[in-house]
Amino acid sequence: MSDTQQGAGETASAPNPSPAGQPGVRPRTPLLPRRSYIPLTALVVLSAVMAGIGLASTRGWLDADAAVEASTPDSCRSDLAPGDPTIWTGPRTPESEAVFAENTTDLPYPGIPGRDGFVFWSDIQANNFSDMLGRAPWLDEQRDQWRDYFDDLRAGLAREGRDLIVVVAPSSGTVYPQMLPDWAQPLRGLTHFDQLLAVSGDLPIVDVRGDLRDASEDEWVYSAVNSHWTPYGASVAWESIGECLQDLYPDSGYDGLAEAEVASIETQAAPNEFAEWGVEAPRDDWTVPTLDPGPVTTTRVATDGTKSELAWPGGVDLLELPVTTTGGEMAKKALVVGDSQGTALSAFWAGSFESTFQIRHFLDDPSQRANVLHAARTSDADLVVFELTERYLSLQPPTILN
C-alpha cells in the first residue's frame, strides 16, 4: 500500500458492547455479526420492549437539565442541524427497527450499498451503520461518561500545563447523508456525536462536519468505496482543526501550524475497502491535493529505532503505531492519540511540532486502551490530540485510568 492510498486500518472485528453489569452503561442492542442475525419478528418485539423501558427509565437526549451546548469558539463548531431523536425512541422504534433489520439481514458482505455507488460498512465495523443513523441512542449516563472522560482528561492535562483538543472524524455517511440508501433516508436520527455536543459546554472538541460538507460540493472529501477521508478531505479537516486550536488557546503559540493551501488536486483510483467482495468503484474519487506550502518533511522513528522520511501526502499507518516524529517547525511537542483516520493528518502534526509521539487509542479494545495522561507525561507533550472516528462514540466510554 502506497503512502497516498490509505486502507481500512482497523480490521472488521466484532465490537465490544458495554457490559450489562457496568454502572451507568446501557447494554447495547446486539450487533449483527456476518451471516448471523436476529430474526426479524424477534427484533421487532425486542425493540418495542426496549422502547418502553427506555421511555420509563430515562429521557436521554430529552434531559434538558443536562444540556450544556457547546460554548467553544465559532471556528470549533459547525451549523449542522441535529437529526430527529424520535426516530429511534418511543412509538417509532419498532417500525424503525423493522426497516433496519429488513435491509441489513443476511448481507452478502459486510457493506451496505448506498446511492451513486457509495458503500458503507455495516455494524460489523464498530456499529458503523447504526451510528450513522443515530440508532440505539445513549442513555444519559453513557453520554455523560463520554463527556466526563474528556472533561477529566482536560483537567488532568491542565494540571501539568498541557492542552487538549478532541478531533471527531465524521463518517462518510455523516458528510454525504444524501448517499445513504433510499430505505435509510427516513431513519436519519440524532447521532451520538450530536448528543455529546449537546452537553459538551466548553470541552475542546472540534466539529469539522460543516467544513467537510461545504468542501464536498466541489471535490470528493470521501470516496464511495473507502470509509476514510481522502487526502483532500484531510486537508480540509486540518484547516478546521488549526483554526479551532489557535482560537481555543490563543496564548499558547500554535500559530506555527503547518498550512494546507491547496494549489491543485489530482483525482486517483481509490483504495477500495470492498474489492475482495467484488464491489467495483463507481469512479475515480480519491482526491490528492498539492499543497503550497506543504508540511515540511520530517523523520519518523519506529519502535525498533528504524528511521524514514515522512512527507505529505504520506502518513503514519495505523499498524505502524506507536511512532515518534522529529523535525517539525514549532518548538513544541504533541502527543497524538488516534486511529486510522489520523493517518492522513499525521504529516500535518509532524510538520507542525518539533516532535510528536503518535499512538493508538484502542477504543475498540478496552484491554489495550491508551493511558493518555501517562503517555503525555512520558512524551512531555505540550498538546494532546485525541482523534477518534465518529463510530467509536457508540462503544463503551473509556475512563481516566485507562
Side-chain angles (χ1 to χ4, degrees):
M1 180 179 68
S2 70
D3 276 338
T4 60
Q5 293 195 332
Q6 179 180 343
E10 295 92 359
T11 56
S13 58
N16 296 285
S18 303
Q22 178 153 343
V25 178
R26 179 186 189 178
R28 294 189 53 82
T29 303
L31 299 184
L32 307 180
R34 196 178 308 185
R35 299 183 182 277
S36 177
Y37 301 92
I38 302 171
L40 176 57
T41 54
L43 182 59
V44 172
V45 173
L46 175 63
S47 299
V49 173
M50 289 304 292
I53 292 173
L55 287 176
S57 63
T58 184
R59 288 292 178 177
W61 43 267
L62 293 176
D63 183 358
D65 292 337
V68 184
E69 294 185 0
S71 57
T72 49
D74 290 345
S75 58
C76 302
R77 291 179 272 150
S78 71
D79 57 0
L80 268 62
D84 181 356
T86 67
I87 291 171
W88 297 103
T89 56
R92 297 184 63 176
T93 302
E95 177 186 354
S96 300
E97 289 287 358
V99 174
F100 186 91
E102 180 182 1
N103 289 279
T104 58
T105 301
D106 294 330
L107 296 171
Y109 66 96
I112 296 176
R115 295 171 171 172
D116 201 17
F118 264 70
V119 182
F120 305 95
W121 282 108
S122 69
D123 277 0
I124 201 170
Q125 190 72 287
N127 309 321
N128 184 69
F129 205 74
S130 286
D131 187 77
M132 288 184 195
L133 299 180
R135 180 172 175 258
W138 288 330
L139 299 188
D140 298 334
E141 292 87 348
Q142 190 167 354
R143 175 203 62 195
D144 292 350
Q145 284 178 14
W146 274 102
R147 178 200 60 198
D148 293 347
Y149 170 72
F150 289 125
D151 198 22
D152 291 345
L153 180 59
R154 173 179 60 176
L157 293 169
R159 284 193 293 269
E160 300 178 359
R162 312 183 203 282
D163 299 325
L164 171 69
I165 187 169
V166 179
V167 179
V168 178
S171 66
S172 56
T174 296
V175 177
Y176 289 101
Q178 72 275 22
M179 298 303 183
L180 293 169
D182 292 345
W183 64 265
Q185 292 296 326
L187 302 183
R188 286 161 48 190
L190 189 72
T191 66
H192 292 113
F193 190 25
D194 286 328
Q195 293 178 71
L196 178 60
L197 290 175
V199 296
S200 63
D202 63 351
L203 281 181
I205 300 173
V206 54
D207 181 359
V208 301
R209 296 175 300 174
D211 287 340
L212 283 167
R213 278 202 192 176
D214 290 345
S216 73
E217 296 179 3
D218 299 314
E219 298 286 351
W220 294 105
V221 294
Y222 287 81
S223 166
V225 291
N226 194 294
S227 59
H228 302 84
W229 42 34
T230 65
Y232 171 67
S235 72
V236 172
W238 174 255
E239 286 285 278
S240 298
I241 294 165
E243 291 179 15
C244 173
L245 181 60
Q246 292 175 67
D247 289 344
L248 282 170
Y249 305 106
D251 301 322
S252 294
Y254 294 125
D255 52 354
L257 292 168
E259 297 182 18
E261 292 293 328
V262 176
S264 61
I265 297 176
E266 179 184 356
T267 303
Q268 305 173 357
N272 186 347
E273 294 181 308
F274 304 97
E276 65 179 286
W277 295 286
V279 176
E280 295 185 2
R283 68 190 75 83
D284 288 351
D285 55 9
W286 195 251
T287 46
V288 182
T290 297
L291 304 179
D292 185 21
V296 299
T297 299
T298 56
T299 300
R300 59 180 160 194
V301 185
T303 52
D304 63 359
T306 303
K307 296 182 179 181
S308 58
E309 283 192 348
L310 176 58
W312 172 263
V316 178
D317 189 88
L318 178 77
L319 300 181
E320 295 181 77
L321 300 178
V323 161
T324 300
T325 70
T326 60
E329 295 189 316
M330 286 192 298
K332 288 181 175 291
K333 301 176 182 179
L335 168 67
V336 182
V337 185
D339 51 44
S340 61
Q341 287 281 26
T343 297
L345 295 175
S346 55
F348 289 114
W349 296 118
S352 298
F353 292 83
E354 69 176 51
S355 69
T356 72
F357 184 43
Q358 304 191 22
I359 63 175
R360 291 180 68 167
H361 54 57
F362 279 111
L363 288 175
D364 52 343
D365 185 354
S367 68
Q368 299 189 70
R369 284 181 174 172
N371 186 329
V372 180
L373 287 177
H374 175 73
R377 209 169 289 128
T378 56
S379 61
D380 193 25
D382 298 289
L383 172 70
V384 172
V385 182
F386 199 116
E387 175 273 316
L388 70 154
T389 300
E390 183 178 9
R391 63 177 175 243
Y392 286 130
L393 288 172
S394 69
L395 301 181
Q396 179 182 341
T399 68
I400 202 65
L401 298 179
N402 61 16

